[in-house]
């Protein structure tokens, strides 16, 4: 009986160790997925049968589109020299506005605690990015002004936003200039 309980204890610890190791590998993924990766076009295409399982109608299945991976440089915690890069999958046929919005949403999520950012791209390929304070800034844990546009980190904040939107290594048609605004005023390093 003693050998059986020791064997079960060892088996359980091995299974827990394997489960924890596998889940930690999944967390370190370098792909940022902001879109649904499902091939189902809409929820109406899913039907539930008598047994409670879901089935997909074949007529609503779409083909995968061509995507490109765009590198997103993330802000390293407390170390200015260290760079962390993840890749964002973007639809190659998408508009410049759509691609830029995906990048802005990704850096907002990954670097700036989901603080709101609004981007518009004009006909001259100039991206205008508005850094927007949360609606209830008094109850919010973070704000653009206090946490990312203060005198200590403002340069790093602007650098991360500019580098990610400009994508200097990208070979196709892309954003030529970026203008950053906070509360309606153009942001400068001064």
């Amino acid at each position: 009986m003693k050998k059986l309980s020791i064997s079960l204890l060892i088996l359980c610890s091995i299974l827990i160790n394997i489960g924890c190791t596998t889940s930690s590998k999944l967390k370190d993924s370098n792909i940022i997925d902001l879109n649904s990766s499902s091939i189902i076009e809409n929820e109406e295409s899913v039907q539930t049968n008598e047994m409670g399982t879901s089935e997909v109608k074949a007529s609503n299945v779409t083909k995968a589109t061509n995507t490109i991976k765009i590198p997103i440089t993330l802000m390293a915690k407390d170390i200015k020299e260290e760079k962390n890069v993840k890749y964002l999958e973007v639809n190659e046929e998408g508009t410049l506005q759509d691609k830029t919005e995906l990048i802005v949403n990704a850096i907002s999520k990954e670097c700036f605690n989901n603080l709101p950012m609004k981007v518009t791209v004009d006909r001259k390929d100039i991206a205008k990015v508005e850094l927007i304070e949360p609606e209830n800034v008094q109850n919010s844990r973070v704000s653009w002004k206090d946490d990312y546009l203060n005198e200590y980190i403002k340069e790093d904040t602007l650098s991360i936003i500019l580098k990610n939107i400009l994508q200097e290594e990208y070979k196709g048609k892309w954003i030529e200039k970026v203008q950053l605004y906070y509360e309606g005023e153009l942001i400068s390093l001064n």
Side-chain angles (χ1 to χ4, degrees), residues 20-45:
C20 292
T21 305
T22 305
S23 66
S24 68
K25 288 179 183 176
L26 293 175
K27 292 178 186 175
D28 295 334
S29 174
N30 283 337
I31 301 291
I32 302 170
D33 185 18
L34 294 178
N35 292 331
S36 171
S37 58
S38 174
I39 61 168
I40 300 172
E41 201 171 299
N42 56 31
E43 290 181 20
E44 295 170 357
S45 64

Side-chain angles (χ1 to χ4, degrees), residues 75-83 152-153 155-156:
M75 193 178 313
K77 308 287 186 224
D78 302 322
I79 303 172
K80 290 184 181 180
E81 291 80 27
E82 181 182 329
K83 288 186 179 179
Y152 304 109
I153 197 166
E155 186 176 336
D156 294 332

Side-chain angles (χ1 to χ4, degrees), residues 68 92 96 99 125 166-176:
I68 53 174
E92 193 172 27
L96 205 49
K99 292 175 186 177
D125 297 335
L166 288 174
Q167 291 293 323
E168 294 173 352
E169 302 295 320
Y170 187 73
K171 302 292 184 217
K173 180 181 177 187
W174 202 255
I175 301 294
E176 297 296 322

Side-chain angles (χ1 to χ4, degrees), residues 34-178:
L34 294 178
N35 292 331
S36 171
S37 58
S38 174
I39 61 168
I40 300 172
E41 201 171 299
N42 56 31
E43 290 181 20
E44 295 170 357
S45 64
V46 179
Q47 294 180 341
T48 306
N49 62 17
E50 299 86 32
M51 301 195 54
T53 59
S54 298
E55 296 175 348
V56 178
K57 290 187 217 172
S59 63
N60 289 332
V61 176
T62 59
K63 294 182 180 179
T65 59
N66 293 336
T67 59
I68 53 174
K69 290 183 181 180
I70 295 179
I72 303 294
T73 304
L74 306 177
M75 193 178 313
K77 308 287 186 224
D78 302 322
I79 303 172
K80 290 184 181 180
E81 291 80 27
E82 181 182 329
K83 288 186 179 179
N84 187 7
V85 177
K86 290 191 175 186
Y87 292 89
L88 178 65
E89 289 188 354
V90 178
N91 183 355
E92 193 172 27
E93 287 88 29
T95 65
L96 205 49
Q97 175 74 33
D98 293 340
K99 292 175 186 177
T100 309
E101 283 177 358
L102 285 172
I103 291 172
V104 166
N105 291 336
I107 60 176
S108 172
K109 178 184 174 186
E110 297 287 330
C111 300
F112 303 116
N113 291 310
N114 275 328
L115 284 171
M117 299 169 73
K118 180 182 174 188
V119 63
T120 54
V121 178
D122 66 11
R123 293 182 187 144
K124 298 177 184 175
D125 297 335
I126 298 174
K128 295 180 180 179
V129 180
E130 177 75 30
L131 307 180
I132 304 168
E133 289 293 352
E135 289 180 17
N136 195 352
V137 73
Q138 288 80 17
N139 294 335
S140 179
R141 295 180 310 130
V142 294
S143 74
W144 283 110
K145 182 179 180 182
D146 296 334
D147 297 308
Y148 297 108
L149 296 176
N150 63 44
E151 63 185 76
Y152 304 109
I153 197 166
K154 182 178 183 179
E155 186 176 336
D156 294 332
T157 299
L158 299 180
S159 175
I160 290 294
I161 295 170
L162 293 174
K163 284 180 183 177
N164 284 311
I165 293 176
L166 288 174
Q167 291 293 323
E168 294 173 352
E169 302 295 320
Y170 187 73
K171 302 292 184 217
K173 180 181 177 187
W174 202 255
I175 301 294
E176 297 296 322
K177 295 179 183 177
V178 177

Side-chain angles (χ1 to χ4, degrees), residues 4-18:
L4 180 63
S5 61
I6 291 175
S7 298
L8 285 174
L9 179 66
I10 291 173
L11 180 63
C12 288
S13 63
I14 289 172
L15 289 175
I16 290 172
N17 189 17
I18 291 172

